C-alpha cells in the first residue's frame, strides 16, 4: 500500500449467484461495510444481478462493476453488453481481459484494448487483468508476457485517461488454485508494471494508478500482500462469495 493511492478491493463473483442470492449477499456486505471509510469497495456481480445489486447499494459506500463488455457502442452482437448499458445501471467499473476470458473465450490484447478505449470513452473505469501462466513463469517469461499485455492492452491511451485505469495482476496459476503468489512475487511484478507505466506515460501518472493483486486472496494472506508498496488492493474471486471473508480482506487494507 501507498498512502497516496486509495486502496481498492473488488469482488469478482464470476458466474455465481442468482438475483436472490446476490441480494442476500449484498445485504450482509452492506451491513458489515457501513463503517468502512477510505477504501473503494467494488462489487462485480453477473450481468443478470446488476440491476438488483445496483438498486440495493444505492447511497452506500459500495460501488458497482461488471465483468465484461463489448467494444462497440451498439449493433448486431448477439449475447453482448455495451458500455452504455452498464452505465445505465450505474456501473462505474468493468473488469476487462480476465484470464478466464482470454483462455476460454478467445480474448486478445487487441480486443482488450478496444474495450478499454470504449470503457474510458463511456466514463467506465476499466480493471485490466494481466498475468502469466505457470509454464510462462517457469520459462522465465513473466515480465515479457506481462509487458506485452500491459503495452498492447493500453496501447494508444493518453496519460490523462490512463489515470482512470486499474490494473489487476492475476497470475493464472494462482487463480482458484489456493496457490497465492507470495507477497514478494506479487510485489516484483507489480513494481515492474509500475515501471512500464512510467515508461509509457511518465512517473506522475505511474504513481497514481492503482495496481491490485488477484489470485487466491483470502483473509489469511491479504494483510501480508497489502504490506507491499505496489499492491494497492485486491481482485477477489472465491473469497468474495462470502460476506465475512470478503470484508475481512477489505479490512486488511487498513
Ligand atoms: P480466486 O480469488 O478465486 O483465486 O479468483 C481470482 C480472480 O480470478 C479474480 O478475478
Amino acid at each position: 500500500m501507498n498512502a497516496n493511492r486509495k486502496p481498492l478491493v473488488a469482488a469478482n463473483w464470476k458466474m455465481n449467484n442468482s438475483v436472490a442470492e446476490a441480494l442476500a449477499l449484498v445485504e450482509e456486505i452492506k451491513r458489515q461495510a457501513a463503517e468502512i471509510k477510505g477504501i473503494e469497495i467494488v462489487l462485480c456481480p453477473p450481468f443478470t444481478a446488476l440491476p438488483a445489486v445496483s438498486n440495493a447499494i444505492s447511497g452506500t459506500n459500495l460501488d458497482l462493476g461488471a465483468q465484461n463488455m463489448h467494444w462497440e457502442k451498439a449493433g448486431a452482437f448477439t449475447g453482448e453488453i455495451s458500455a452504455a448499458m452498464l452505465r445505465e445501471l450505474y456501473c462505474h467499473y468493468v473488469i476487462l481481459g480476465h484470464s478466464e476470458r482470454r483462455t476460454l473465450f478467445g480474448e486478445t490484447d487487441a480486443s482488450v484494448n478496444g474495450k478499454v478505449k470504449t470503457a474510458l470513452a463511456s466514463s467506465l473505469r476499466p480493471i485490466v487483468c494481466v498475468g502469466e501462466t505457470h509454464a510462462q513463469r517457469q520459462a522465465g517469461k513473466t515480465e515479457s508476457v506481462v509487458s506485452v499485455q500491459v503495452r498492447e492492452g493500453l496501447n494508444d491511451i493518453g496519460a490523462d485517461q490512463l489515470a482512470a485505469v486499474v490494473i489487476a495482476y492475476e497470475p493464472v496459476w494462482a487463480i482458484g488454485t489456493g496457490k497465492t503468489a507470495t507477497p514478494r512475487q506479487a510485489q516484483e511484478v507489480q513494481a515492474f508494471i509500475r515501471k512500464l507505466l512510467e515508461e509509457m506515460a511518465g512517473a506522475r501518472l505511474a504513481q497514481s494508478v492503482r495496481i491490485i493483486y488477484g489470485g487466491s486472496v483470502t483473509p489469511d494472506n491479504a494483510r501480508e500482500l497489502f504490506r507491499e508498496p505496489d499492491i494497492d488492493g485486491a481482485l477477489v474471486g472465491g473469497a468474495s462469495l462470502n460476506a465475512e471473508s470478503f470484508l475481512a480482506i477489505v479490512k486488511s487494507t487498513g
Side-chain angles (χ1 to χ4, degrees):
M1 294 273 154
N2 176 312
N4 296 323
R5 294 184 292 269
K6 193 172 186 183
L8 186 150
V9 179
N12 178 8
W13 291 356
K14 308 191 180 184
M15 196 172 74
N16 294 293
N17 288 333
S18 66
V19 174
E21 288 164 343
L23 283 174
L25 180 53
V26 167
E27 281 314 309
E28 200 48 40
I29 292 174
K30 241 164 66 171
R31 202 175 54 74
Q32 295 189 36
E35 307 299 318
I36 298 174
K37 289 194 177 71
I39 304 168
E40 274 186 76
I41 308 170
V42 182
L43 305 182
C44 304
F47 290 130
T48 48
L50 281 174
V53 172
S54 180
N55 208 24
I57 65 174
S58 161
T60 70
N61 57 345
L62 305 173
D63 214 332
L64 192 65
Q67 298 175 17
N68 183 30
M69 52 162 255
H70 198 263
W71 60 84
E72 290 290 350
K73 286 201 165 72
F77 301 101
T78 303
E80 293 292 331
I81 300 279
S82 75
M85 293 168 185
L86 298 180
R87 288 286 301 164
E88 191 183 21
L89 300 174
Y90 304 101
C91 273
H92 293 125
Y93 285 89
V94 59
I95 298 171
L96 296 176
H98 191 280
S99 76
E100 286 148 19
R101 298 225 47 93
R102 293 178 191 259
T103 32
L104 303 173
F105 303 103
E107 287 213 3
T108 63
D109 291 321
S111 64
V112 171
N113 184 239
K115 293 176 180 200
V116 171
K117 286 178 177 163
T118 304
L120 290 169
S122 312
S123 302
L124 277 169
R125 292 167 169 252
I127 301 175
V128 181
C129 303
V130 299
E132 81 289 358
T133 62
H134 181 66
Q136 288 164 333
R137 176 166 279 266
Q138 291 301 101
K141 291 186 180 152
T142 299
E143 290 197 352
S144 60
V145 168
V146 168
S147 169
V148 169
Q149 290 172 334
V150 170
R151 285 185 187 280
E152 295 191 3
L154 301 180
N155 184 38
D156 202 20
I157 292 166
D160 51 329
Q161 291 217 292
L162 277 180
V165 172
V166 176
I167 296 181
Y169 170 55
E170 297 208 309
V172 179
W173 49 270
I175 296 176
T177 58
K179 288 189 199 137
T180 332
T182 63
R184 188 172 161 181
Q185 283 173 322
Q187 166 59 25
E188 264 173 20
V189 179
Q190 301 197 192
F192 171 74
I193 293 171
R194 204 173 298 286
K195 206 174 82 208
L196 279 177
L197 291 172
E198 185 172 333
E199 285 167 24
M200 291 165 67
R204 222 181 124 107
L205 181 280
Q207 283 307 315
S208 74
V209 170
R210 269 91 54 91
I211 305 176
I212 61 178
Y213 168 80
S216 297
V217 177
T218 66
D220 293 333
N221 57 34
R223 193 169 292 280
E224 237 192 315
L225 286 161
F226 296 155
R227 259 192 219 122
E228 299 294 334
D230 288 296
I231 302 183
D232 303 315
L235 182 53
V236 188
S240 75
L241 296 170
N242 174 281
E244 211 131 289
S245 56
F246 180 61
L247 264 299
I249 293 168
V250 170
K251 287 175 187 163
S252 302
T253 57

